[in-house]
Short mmCIF file of all heavy atoms in Angstrom, two decimals:
data_model
loop_
_atom_site.label_atom_id
_atom_site.label_comp_id
_atom_site.label_asym_id
_atom_site.label_seq_id
_atom_site.Cartn_x
_atom_site.Cartn_y
_atom_site.Cartn_z
N PRO T 377 56.28 58.97 121.20
CA PRO T 377 56.67 58.68 119.81
C PRO T 377 55.83 59.52 118.83
O PRO T 377 54.65 59.61 118.97
CB PRO T 377 56.36 57.19 119.69
CG PRO T 377 56.49 56.66 121.06
CD PRO T 377 55.95 57.75 121.96
N GLY T 378 56.52 60.15 117.88
CA GLY T 378 55.84 61.01 116.95
C GLY T 378 55.65 62.43 117.48
O GLY T 378 55.09 63.29 116.79
N GLY T 379 56.15 62.67 118.71
CA GLY T 379 56.00 63.99 119.33
C GLY T 379 56.76 65.08 118.59
O GLY T 379 57.71 64.79 117.87
N ILE T 380 56.33 66.31 118.83
CA ILE T 380 56.85 67.45 118.05
C ILE T 380 57.49 68.48 119.00
O ILE T 380 56.92 68.77 120.08
CB ILE T 380 55.68 68.13 117.29
CG1 ILE T 380 55.02 67.12 116.35
CG2 ILE T 380 56.15 69.37 116.55
CD1 ILE T 380 53.59 67.49 115.98
N LEU T 381 58.59 69.06 118.61
CA LEU T 381 59.22 70.19 119.30
C LEU T 381 59.34 71.34 118.34
O LEU T 381 59.83 71.15 117.20
CB LEU T 381 60.60 69.78 119.86
CG LEU T 381 61.37 70.85 120.69
CD1 LEU T 381 62.30 70.17 121.68
CD2 LEU T 381 62.21 71.79 119.78
N VAL T 382 58.90 72.53 118.74
CA VAL T 382 59.08 73.71 117.92
C VAL T 382 59.82 74.78 118.72
O VAL T 382 59.69 74.90 119.93
CB VAL T 382 57.74 74.30 117.43
CG1 VAL T 382 57.19 73.51 116.27
CG2 VAL T 382 56.71 74.41 118.57
N THR T 383 60.67 75.56 118.01
CA THR T 383 61.41 76.61 118.63
C THR T 383 61.67 77.72 117.63
O THR T 383 61.69 77.48 116.41
CB THR T 383 62.78 76.11 119.19
OG1 THR T 383 63.42 77.20 119.87
CG2 THR T 383 63.68 75.59 118.09
N TYR T 384 61.86 78.94 118.16
CA TYR T 384 62.14 80.09 117.30
C TYR T 384 63.53 80.04 116.72
O TYR T 384 63.83 80.71 115.75
CB TYR T 384 61.96 81.41 118.10
CG TYR T 384 62.94 81.47 119.25
CD1 TYR T 384 64.23 82.02 119.05
CD2 TYR T 384 62.59 81.06 120.52
CE1 TYR T 384 65.12 82.12 120.12
CE2 TYR T 384 63.48 81.15 121.57
CZ TYR T 384 64.73 81.68 121.35
OH TYR T 384 65.63 81.72 122.39
N SER T 385 64.41 79.26 117.33
CA SER T 385 65.81 79.23 116.87
C SER T 385 65.98 78.52 115.54
O SER T 385 65.26 77.58 115.24
CB SER T 385 66.70 78.53 117.90
OG SER T 385 68.07 78.47 117.47
N ALA T 386 66.96 78.98 114.76
CA ALA T 386 67.30 78.30 113.49
C ALA T 386 68.78 78.07 113.37
O ALA T 386 69.26 77.80 112.26
CB ALA T 386 66.76 79.12 112.33
N LYS T 387 69.51 78.20 114.45
CA LYS T 387 70.97 78.07 114.45
C LYS T 387 71.36 76.67 113.97
O LYS T 387 70.77 75.68 114.35
CB LYS T 387 71.57 78.30 115.81
CG LYS T 387 71.61 79.77 116.26
CD LYS T 387 72.15 79.91 117.64
CE LYS T 387 73.60 79.56 117.75
NZ LYS T 387 74.50 80.54 117.10
N GLY T 388 72.42 76.58 113.16
CA GLY T 388 72.93 75.32 112.67
C GLY T 388 73.35 74.41 113.82
O GLY T 388 73.11 73.18 113.78
N SER T 389 73.98 74.97 114.84
CA SER T 389 74.41 74.15 115.97
C SER T 389 73.26 73.55 116.74
O SER T 389 73.35 72.40 117.22
CB SER T 389 75.29 74.99 116.92
OG SER T 389 74.53 76.08 117.43
N VAL T 390 72.16 74.29 116.80
CA VAL T 390 70.94 73.78 117.47
C VAL T 390 70.34 72.64 116.64
O VAL T 390 69.96 71.57 117.18
CB VAL T 390 69.92 74.91 117.69
CG1 VAL T 390 68.61 74.36 118.21
CG2 VAL T 390 70.50 75.94 118.66
N ARG T 391 70.23 72.84 115.34
CA ARG T 391 69.69 71.80 114.47
C ARG T 391 70.52 70.52 114.56
O ARG T 391 69.98 69.43 114.68
CB ARG T 391 69.66 72.31 113.02
CG ARG T 391 69.18 71.27 112.01
CD ARG T 391 69.10 71.87 110.60
NE ARG T 391 70.35 72.53 110.20
CZ ARG T 391 71.38 71.82 109.72
NH1 ARG T 391 71.33 70.52 109.56
NH2 ARG T 391 72.48 72.50 109.36
N ARG T 392 71.84 70.70 114.55
CA ARG T 392 72.73 69.50 114.64
C ARG T 392 72.61 68.78 116.00
O ARG T 392 72.63 67.55 116.04
CB ARG T 392 74.18 69.89 114.37
CG ARG T 392 74.41 70.31 112.92
CD ARG T 392 75.87 70.52 112.64
NE ARG T 392 76.42 71.70 113.32
CZ ARG T 392 76.39 72.92 112.82
NH1 ARG T 392 75.82 73.18 111.65
NH2 ARG T 392 76.93 73.94 113.52
N ALA T 393 72.44 69.57 117.05
CA ALA T 393 72.26 68.96 118.40
C ALA T 393 70.99 68.13 118.46
O ALA T 393 70.92 67.03 119.00
CB ALA T 393 72.26 70.04 119.45
N MET T 394 69.89 68.71 117.86
CA MET T 394 68.63 67.96 117.82
C MET T 394 68.78 66.67 117.00
O MET T 394 68.30 65.61 117.42
CB MET T 394 67.55 68.85 117.17
CG MET T 394 67.11 70.02 118.00
SD MET T 394 65.90 71.00 117.08
CE MET T 394 65.41 72.24 118.26
N GLN T 395 69.40 66.76 115.86
CA GLN T 395 69.56 65.59 114.98
C GLN T 395 70.41 64.53 115.68
O GLN T 395 70.13 63.32 115.53
CB GLN T 395 70.17 66.00 113.67
CG GLN T 395 69.26 66.83 112.79
CD GLN T 395 69.94 67.39 111.56
OE1 GLN T 395 71.15 67.67 111.57
NE2 GLN T 395 69.18 67.55 110.46
N SER T 396 71.38 64.95 116.42
CA SER T 396 72.32 63.98 117.05
C SER T 396 71.63 63.10 118.11
O SER T 396 72.12 62.03 118.39
CB SER T 396 73.51 64.69 117.66
OG SER T 396 73.12 65.46 118.79
N VAL T 397 70.55 63.61 118.67
CA VAL T 397 69.85 62.79 119.69
C VAL T 397 68.67 62.01 119.09
O VAL T 397 67.96 61.33 119.85
CB VAL T 397 69.36 63.68 120.86
CG1 VAL T 397 70.56 64.44 121.45
CG2 VAL T 397 68.26 64.63 120.47
N GLY T 398 68.43 62.15 117.77
CA GLY T 398 67.43 61.29 117.13
C GLY T 398 66.27 62.04 116.48
O GLY T 398 65.44 61.39 115.82
N PHE T 399 66.18 63.34 116.62
CA PHE T 399 65.09 64.09 116.01
C PHE T 399 65.23 64.17 114.48
O PHE T 399 66.33 64.28 113.97
CB PHE T 399 65.04 65.51 116.54
CG PHE T 399 64.39 65.69 117.90
CD1 PHE T 399 65.17 66.06 118.99
CD2 PHE T 399 63.06 65.50 118.08
CE1 PHE T 399 64.57 66.24 120.24
CE2 PHE T 399 62.45 65.67 119.29
CZ PHE T 399 63.24 66.04 120.38
N ASN T 400 64.11 64.17 113.80
CA ASN T 400 64.06 64.59 112.40
C ASN T 400 63.71 66.08 112.42
O ASN T 400 62.68 66.47 112.94
CB ASN T 400 62.95 63.83 111.63
CG ASN T 400 63.27 62.34 111.49
OD1 ASN T 400 64.44 61.97 111.26
ND2 ASN T 400 62.29 61.50 111.63
N VAL T 401 64.58 66.89 111.83
CA VAL T 401 64.48 68.34 111.98
C VAL T 401 64.27 68.99 110.62
O VAL T 401 64.91 68.62 109.64
CB VAL T 401 65.77 68.93 112.64
CG1 VAL T 401 65.57 70.41 112.92
CG2 VAL T 401 66.10 68.17 113.93
N GLU T 402 63.37 69.96 110.60
CA GLU T 402 63.16 70.74 109.37
C GLU T 402 63.20 72.23 109.67
O GLU T 402 62.77 72.66 110.74
CB GLU T 402 61.83 70.37 108.69
CG GLU T 402 60.59 70.57 109.52
CD GLU T 402 59.34 70.18 108.80
OE1 GLU T 402 59.23 70.37 107.58
OE2 GLU T 402 58.41 69.64 109.50
N ARG T 403 63.76 72.98 108.72
CA ARG T 403 63.69 74.44 108.79
C ARG T 403 62.35 74.88 108.19
O ARG T 403 61.92 74.39 107.16
CB ARG T 403 64.84 75.04 107.98
CG ARG T 403 66.21 74.87 108.61
CD ARG T 403 67.19 75.76 107.88
NE ARG T 403 68.56 75.66 108.41
CZ ARG T 403 69.46 74.88 107.90
NH1 ARG T 403 69.19 74.10 106.87
NH2 ARG T 403 70.68 74.86 108.45
N LEU T 404 61.75 75.89 108.86
CA LEU T 404 60.48 76.43 108.40
C LEU T 404 60.56 77.95 108.34
O LEU T 404 61.46 78.54 108.97
CB LEU T 404 59.37 76.05 109.41
CG LEU T 404 59.14 74.58 109.67
CD1 LEU T 404 58.23 74.39 110.85
CD2 LEU T 404 58.52 73.92 108.44
N PRO T 405 59.69 78.62 107.62
CA PRO T 405 59.66 80.07 107.62
C PRO T 405 59.46 80.59 109.02
O PRO T 405 58.61 80.05 109.76
CB PRO T 405 58.47 80.41 106.72
CG PRO T 405 58.31 79.21 105.84
CD PRO T 405 58.66 78.03 106.68
N GLY T 406 60.23 81.60 109.41
CA GLY T 406 60.18 82.11 110.75
C GLY T 406 59.06 83.18 110.92
O GLY T 406 58.38 83.52 109.98
N PRO T 407 58.93 83.66 112.14
CA PRO T 407 57.94 84.73 112.41
C PRO T 407 58.44 86.05 111.85
O PRO T 407 59.58 86.11 111.35
CB PRO T 407 57.89 84.76 113.96
CG PRO T 407 59.25 84.31 114.35
CD PRO T 407 59.66 83.30 113.36
N PRO T 408 57.63 87.08 111.87
CA PRO T 408 58.08 88.37 111.36
C PRO T 408 59.43 88.79 111.96
O PRO T 408 59.67 88.69 113.16
CB PRO T 408 56.96 89.34 111.84
CG PRO T 408 55.76 88.48 111.85
CD PRO T 408 56.23 87.14 112.35
N GLY T 409 60.34 89.21 111.07
CA GLY T 409 61.66 89.64 111.51
C GLY T 409 62.69 88.53 111.60
O GLY T 409 63.82 88.78 111.89
N LYS T 410 62.25 87.30 111.35
CA LYS T 410 63.19 86.15 111.45
C LYS T 410 62.95 85.22 110.26
O LYS T 410 61.83 84.83 110.00
CB LYS T 410 62.98 85.40 112.77
CG LYS T 410 64.03 84.38 113.06
CD LYS T 410 63.94 83.90 114.51
CE LYS T 410 64.99 82.85 114.83
NZ LYS T 410 66.38 83.28 114.66
N ARG T 411 64.05 84.91 109.57
CA ARG T 411 63.89 84.18 108.28
C ARG T 411 63.41 82.73 108.50
O ARG T 411 62.59 82.24 107.75
CB ARG T 411 65.23 84.18 107.52
CG ARG T 411 65.12 83.64 106.11
CD ARG T 411 66.35 84.07 105.30
NE ARG T 411 67.56 83.57 105.86
CZ ARG T 411 68.11 82.37 105.58
NH1 ARG T 411 67.51 81.58 104.68
NH2 ARG T 411 69.22 81.96 106.11
N GLU T 412 63.97 82.06 109.53
CA GLU T 412 63.70 80.64 109.69
C GLU T 412 63.50 80.30 111.17
O GLU T 412 63.85 81.09 112.03
CB GLU T 412 64.84 79.78 109.10
CG GLU T 412 64.99 79.84 107.62
CD GLU T 412 66.12 78.97 107.09
OE1 GLU T 412 67.16 78.86 107.78
OE2 GLU T 412 65.95 78.39 106.01
#
Side-chain angles (χ1 to χ4, degrees):
I380 301 156
L381 181 152
V382 282
T383 183
Y384 63 86
S385 178
K387 285 177 67 71
S389 60
V390 172
R391 177 177 53 83
R392 290 188 292 273
M394 291 177 175
Q395 290 172 329
S396 70
V397 305
F399 280 112
N400 293 321
V401 187
E402 59 181 323
R403 289 192 180 96
L404 301 168
K410 190 168 179 60
R411 189 163 61 88
E412 292 180 325

